[in-house]
Amino acid sequence: MNNNVRLAIAPIGWTNDDMPELGAENTFEQCISEMALAGFSGCEVGNKYPRDIALLKHKLSIRGLQICNAWLSTYFADGRRQQTIEQFIEHRDFLYELGAKVIGCSEQTSSIQSLHKPLFGLDKPVFNDKQWRLLAEGYNLLADIAAEKGMQVCLHHHMGTGVQTRDEIDRYLDEVNNNVYLLFDTGHAYYAEGSQQSMLEILQKHLARTIHVHLKDVRDNVVDEVKKQQLSFREGVVKGTFTVPGDGDIDFKPVFSMLNHAQYQGWMVVEAEQDPSQANPFDYALKGRQYIRNLTGL
Ligand SMILES: O=C1C[C@@H](O)[C@H](O)[C@@H](O)C1=O
Ligand SMILES: [Co+2]
């Protein structure tokens, strides 16, 4: 893997912002110390991180860590344009001060990812033409606002949202301008389409537009349970849908070789939300780190 790729890890394995009861016992300092000790040089932002920029930078830099991105929910497809833009500007400025170059957003209009609804039922949002137009106009605008600070915007395709499937990812990238990008998440692509092959085809098709990568592995047996028992996204997470690369059913070798071939430059972020009381975050961070080292030399 080329030298322009850097490895980060998300705090979600230690403390889960969506379900704060998962990892409530883990402190911010424990989390970032273990990230550094496991051999990562960057991380995303969690809700236990201090908002004071100088303090946060200090805590991170003494551990050799840098912020590479943080999630922002957008609501363009239901018309909440102004509110989204205001939040985006604040988020952009926060990330800019921390030295991040990309801003990863997820369109959450009618999302069921946090609701108690079957993930594979009929409730997943499906955008109509007008909603796609609103989304595309919104993301085009975000890209211009990001560019004011030399930053780039990417959308995180996500289970339970209107940009989940392969066709929806294609449509998103067709509709937006060329300066609007993709955050490719291996776990969500695999979960959405149900196979390694489809996940790889999505990545192959959109390599040139991929500016940030989340590395999650998936446990097939838990996905089967989510389908059979009509579980929600979060119920699946608690049961262990996701894990670190090398611990589940995805083969990451072709993922890394595609990125390498395309001379991908940017961050790859291990992001494995599971219950920290069942999956010790430090053990799993080390496990993921070792697997990536073995396959990439990074
Ligand atoms: O990037 C992500 C952020 C989380 O909040 C989300 O639920 C997770 O699955 C993810 O991929
Ligand atoms: Co992700």
Side-chain angles (χ1 to χ4, degrees):
M1 190 70 76
N2 71 68
N3 291 335
N4 295 319
V5 178
R6 298 185 66 196
L7 265 189
I9 188 162
I12 201 164
W14 282 264
T15 56
N16 191 313
D17 291 354
D18 305 328
M19 292 177 275
E21 65 281 11
L22 296 186
E25 67 284 10
N26 295 326
T27 65
F28 162 67
E29 298 214 19
Q30 177 196 338
C31 169
I32 58 171
S33 292
E34 291 182 353
M35 288 169 164
L37 201 53
F40 293 91
S41 56
C43 61
E44 297 202 352
V45 180
N47 68 8
K48 288 194 180 172
Y49 285 38
R51 290 280 135 180
D52 179 311
I53 289 175
L55 178 66
L56 179 52
K57 270 185 160 169
H58 170 69
K59 299 271 183 200
L60 294 170
S61 73
I62 56 176
R63 293 168 171 88
L65 290 171
Q66 197 187 313
I67 294 295
C68 59
N69 171 44
W71 171 285
L72 182 80
S73 298
T74 62
Y75 297 91
F76 288 114
D78 67 7
R80 279 182 270 170
R81 180 175 181 273
Q82 195 50 37
Q83 173 197 317
T84 297
I85 288 168
E86 282 163 20
Q87 286 172 355
F88 179 81
I89 292 171
E90 198 179 313
H91 190 69
R92 174 202 66 176
D93 293 346
F94 176 68
L95 285 177
Y96 175 77
E97 292 298 327
L98 290 165
K101 300 281 181 232
V102 307
I103 310 170
C105 300
S106 165
E107 176 62 26
Q108 286 291 311
T109 293
S110 308
S111 167
I112 59 162
Q113 78 180 63
S114 56
L115 303 182
H116 193 67
K117 291 190 170 177
L119 185 58
F120 291 95
L122 297 173
D123 294 306
K124 174 205 166 308
V126 177
F127 294 151
N128 59 32
D129 289 348
K130 183 180 172 205
Q131 288 179 306
W132 276 111
R133 191 171 41 75
L134 289 171
L135 187 148
E137 284 170 4
Y139 273 74
N140 290 341
L141 192 53
L142 296 188
D144 294 341
I145 298 171
E148 290 168 7
K149 297 267 186 185
M151 300 171 81
Q152 292 176 314
V153 165
C154 49
L155 177 137
H156 189 317
H157 57 96
H158 199 290
M159 292 301 291
T161 74
V163 190
Q164 166 181 307
T165 65
R166 177 190 188 138
D167 289 348
E168 289 163 346
I169 295 169
D170 287 351
R171 179 153 186 187
Y172 155 70
L173 285 165
D174 274 354
E175 299 243 357
V176 294
N177 293 338
N178 283 339
N179 63 342
V180 186
Y181 298 93
L182 183 69
L183 186 167
F184 182 76
D185 185 311
T186 54
H188 284 278
Y190 183 91
Y191 205 179
E193 294 296 328
S195 77
Q196 163 102 11
Q197 184 60 26
S198 309
M199 183 262 293
L200 292 175
E201 285 168 9
I202 297 170
L203 177 59
Q204 183 66 56
K205 183 165 181 187
H206 299 303
L207 269 170
R209 303 285 293 282
T210 298
I211 58 164
H212 200 65
V213 175
H214 281 176
L215 302 173
K216 299 164 136 63
D217 210 337
V218 171
R219 295 185 176 100
D220 284 345
N221 63 319
V222 182
V223 172
D224 289 346
E225 241 185 284
V226 170
K227 288 181 178 163
K228 278 193 199 116
Q229 296 176 19
Q230 305 205 329
L231 303 180
S232 66
F233 176 72
R234 286 189 179 175
E235 286 171 318
V237 168
V238 173
K239 282 187 178 282
T241 302
F242 299 124
T243 183
V244 295
D247 188 51
D249 291 288
I250 295 181
D251 176 7
F252 281 81
K253 207 169 169 193
V255 173
F256 295 139
S257 85
M258 273 183 194
L259 290 166
N260 194 30
H261 238 87
Q263 296 183 307
Y264 173 75
Q265 302 192 358
W267 290 92
M268 298 197 302
V269 185
V270 171
E271 193 202 39
E273 66 255 50
Q274 43 189 342
D275 181 350
S277 70
Q278 306 297 313
N280 180 279
F282 184 46
D283 284 349
Y284 276 79
L286 282 172
K287 185 172 190 160
R289 185 68 189 85
Q290 189 58 45
Y291 176 77
I292 294 166
R293 185 175 294 116
N294 290 344
L295 287 186
T296 66
L298 280 177

